[in-house]
Amino acid sequence: KKRVAVFISGGGSNMVSLADACAAPDFPAEIVAVISDKPTAGGLAKAQGRGISTFVFERKDFAGKAEHEAAILAALADIRPDIICLAGYMRIISGDFIRVYEGRMLNIHPSLLPLFPGLHTHQRAINAGMKIAGCTVHFVTEGMDEGPIVAQAVVPLMADDTSETLASRVLTVEHKLYPLALRMLSEGKVRMEDGKAAFADLAANETAK
Ligand code: GAR
């Protein structure tokens, strides 16, 4: 099984969906660590309740971004993850860090990228008059929310949606999509090649249906 480290900053519902998928005996990955930049992240207790080791690296405990990331990289050297999944990790990771795990790091973003990268994505989708919304799992590259797309899922955007109602509808499909994308990467059905996502065969896409 591929060893996975999940990075969180908040409630960790995507981390839980990955952990639940990993609990199935035939799933090709296992979560070996959950890393948070926030000691108050609700996901930490959920990980511990599942017997997953947790680590907290608060930015304010380090002199700078480089020192903060160096501490996380040092911990990862012991954890030895094959794959890193960013799951609501609300921090921009430097190019130096990303290069260490290039092609092995996924992020989930709650919009149909390349639309609405960054923050306040649901309100921006509503303001734009979108009739659909969704989420994207992509390889992490240096440009924020710009990496090659691995998988996407769509939901309707209703006339009376607020950013809260839309966020919760998108979250329900995030919880299906992220385990699917992790399975694809773990099984070698997708890889990053020349800055693009390369898919091994059509069967990998079939599983999305
Ligand atoms: C999710 O909607 C995730 O897509 C989003 O934060 C939420 C975390 O929820 N991520 C980003 O906005 C990344 N910029 P969770 O902690 O319950 O998984």
Side-chain angles (χ1 to χ4, degrees), residues 24-174:
D26 68 333
F27 199 82
E30 60 179 328
I31 300 181
V32 292
V34 167
I35 293 178
S36 174
D37 64 325
K38 296 268 182 283
T40 52
L44 288 168
K46 295 174 195 164
Q48 286 155 9
R50 286 168 170 74
I52 300 168
S53 303
T54 60
F55 302 82
V56 175
F57 295 94
E58 250 190 299
R59 170 65 184 81
K60 71 168 177 57
D61 293 338
F62 297 89
K65 185 182 181 74
E67 288 82 357
H68 182 232
E69 290 193 343
I72 297 172
L73 281 168
L76 288 173
D78 289 333
I79 295 163
R80 291 177 293 105
D82 299 302
I83 294 169
I84 293 175
C85 288
L86 307 183
Y89 187 67
M90 303 308 276
R91 205 161 267 292
I92 292 171
I93 298 175
S94 73
D96 285 343
F97 188 118
I98 290 165
R99 271 185 284 282
V100 177
Y101 288 96
E102 186 152 76
R104 301 193 288 143
M105 202 186 312
L106 296 176
N107 179 45
I108 188 155
H109 181 77
S111 80
L112 294 171
L113 292 173
L115 291 172
F116 315 121
L119 297 177
H120 311 300
T121 168
H122 300 299
Q123 191 57 53
R124 285 154 61 208
I126 291 168
N127 294 350
M130 294 288 293
K131 302 301 176 202
I132 56 169
C135 59
T136 303
V137 176
H138 63 92
F139 284 109
V140 177
T141 57
E142 227 180 311
M144 189 189 53
D145 299 332
E146 283 178 6
I149 292 170
V150 172
Q152 292 184 304
V154 178
V155 298
L157 199 165
M158 315 292 201
D160 60 354
D161 264 328
T162 63
S163 58
E164 288 78 21
T165 60
L166 180 56
S168 77
R169 190 176 311 116
V170 171
L171 207 48
T172 61
V173 292
E174 291 186 50

